[in-house]
Amino acid sequence: MQRLADKVAIITGAAQGIGAAFARGLAAEGAKVVIADVGDGTETANSIIRANGSAIYVKTDVSSPEQVKALVEKTIAEYGKVDILVNNAAIFAKLGAKKFSDISSAEFDQVMAINVRGPFECAKAVTPAMIANGGGKIVNIASSTVFKGVPDLLHYVSSKGAVVAMTRCLARELGGHKINVNAIAPGLTMSDGVLGQPDYTPEYITNNMNGRALKRKQVPEDLVGAMVFLCSSDSDFMTGQTMAVDGGNVMH
Ligand SMILES: NC(=O)c1ccc[n+]([C@@H]2O[C@H](COP(=O)([O-])OP(=O)(O)OC[C@H]3O[C@@H](n4cnc5c(N)ncnc54)[C@H](O)[C@@H]3O)[C@@H](O)[C@H]2O)c1
């Protein structure tokens, strides 16, 4: 029995990396998937269709309220409703490590526009459709860096701290509409973004891995089980929570 049969899920940043694994994982559980990405999500959509799933790609910059509105309109035109929103799109690996005093105001604002205002714009745009439909699930992607205060990435870590806070505020505001809002905090994950970034040296990855209770590299697929749980009726009485899925590195 597929746990997300007939559900419609929008997943931002799903052209590659962790978002693509979420898209494939939710589709395997029966969800119709909308891949919303500023980059090309055609191949992710096609891989789902080849596996007998249903998916479309809608080019979207999550920091643009107009494009996010068009994304929700296209989803409803194609699939008739929205049950699930996964706020996964973010700028991360390409930021590189730098001291907080070397982060420009422009870069700080860009990170906040995508990583914080993006999930806000998407939540705002999908909730009328979820309310009309009698409920829904929103899952935000935070980061375990929030609980460690990782240095040399202040803008990114601060943006993910805001995602944890936003998850709690949205859970309180939307609970009356039967919309559950939770977050997943991944540990360092071998996504396309991380693998393509030379700053993540083998030494850095090994050091990170050694801080875990479960001492191995984390891959995008490690996050899919928690995501399916938070999108399914199994988590119907859980909201406002942030689940760390990082091999037992942070424990909160
Ligand atoms: N990989 C990790 O180690 C790690 C750890 C903790 C949290 N995370 C979080 O997981 C999520 C996915 O990370 P990843 O490593 O797979 O990243 P990635 O760089 O591999 O993929 C990110 C995707 O988001 C898209 N994107 C970027 N800006 C966008 C925008 N403005 N609008 C729409 N799409 C946009 C990119 O085009 C890309 O397809 C992010 O929220 C990231 O912060 C990642």
Side-chain angles (χ1 to χ4, degrees):
M1 168 75 180
Q2 290 181 305
R3 281 184 286 172
L4 302 176
D6 300 323
K7 300 293 185 192
V8 176
I10 294 175
I11 304 162
T12 70
Q16 66 170 43
I18 294 169
F22 287 149
R24 292 192 190 98
L26 297 192
E29 289 290 343
K32 295 171 182 136
V33 164
V34 179
I35 290 152
D37 203 302
V38 75
D40 187 2
T42 313
E43 179 41 37
T44 310
N46 286 344
S47 72
I48 290 169
I49 294 163
R50 282 196 300 273
N52 297 320
S54 183
I56 57 168
Y57 159 56
V58 183
K59 186 174 170 66
T60 313
D61 178 343
V62 294
S63 67
S64 159
E66 296 77 22
Q67 291 185 33
V68 169
K69 183 169 176 277
L71 162 71
V72 175
E73 285 169 358
K74 174 78 180 154
T75 303
I76 290 170
E78 187 76 19
Y79 291 133
K81 59 176 183 164
V82 187
D83 300 293
I84 295 162
L85 166 67
V86 177
N87 276 317
N88 167 80
I91 323 184
F92 166 47
K94 68 180 179 191
L95 290 169
K98 49 173 91 82
K99 300 214 168 304
F100 89 91
S101 47
D102 292 334
I103 296 172
S104 70
S105 304
E107 189 174 75
F108 186 94
D109 285 351
Q110 188 199 16
V111 171
M112 294 298 157
I114 296 171
N115 295 13
V116 184
R117 198 164 53 68
F120 161 75
E121 302 290 359
C122 292
K124 205 165 139 185
V126 299
T127 43
M130 287 184 176
I131 291 168
N133 201 29
K137 304 271 190 181
I138 298 176
V139 186
N140 298 322
I141 303 306
S143 166
S144 63
T145 58
V146 172
F147 306 105
K148 294 163 118 181
V150 169
D152 301 334
L153 257 183
L154 176 138
H155 43 0
Y156 175 77
V157 178
S158 304
S159 75
K160 293 299 183 175
V163 168
V164 172
M166 193 189 306
T167 299
R168 296 172 181 176
C169 298
L170 284 173
R172 297 259 183 217
E173 290 204 33
L174 295 174
H177 297 291
K178 294 196 177 133
I179 299 173
N180 303 56
V181 188
N182 290 293
I184 293 175
L188 181 66
T189 304
M190 300 302 104
S191 65
D192 295 298
V194 167
L195 291 171
Q197 176 50 255
D199 277 4
Y200 293 97
T201 59
E203 294 73 30
Y204 184 93
I205 292 168
T206 302
N207 279 343
N208 182 281
M209 207 170 71
N210 285 338
R212 293 181 174 150
L214 304 171
K215 298 195 191 304
R216 67 161 172 80
K217 287 182 187 172
Q218 179 163 4
V219 294
E221 290 69 26
D222 286 318
L223 294 152
V224 172
M227 178 57 70
V228 171
F229 167 69
L230 290 176
C231 292
S232 77
S233 60
D234 289 350
S235 58
D236 274 354
F237 202 54
M238 180 176 165
T239 196
Q241 306 304 311
T242 299
M243 289 169 68
V245 180
D246 70 346
N249 196 325
V250 301
M251 298 183 185
H252 75 104

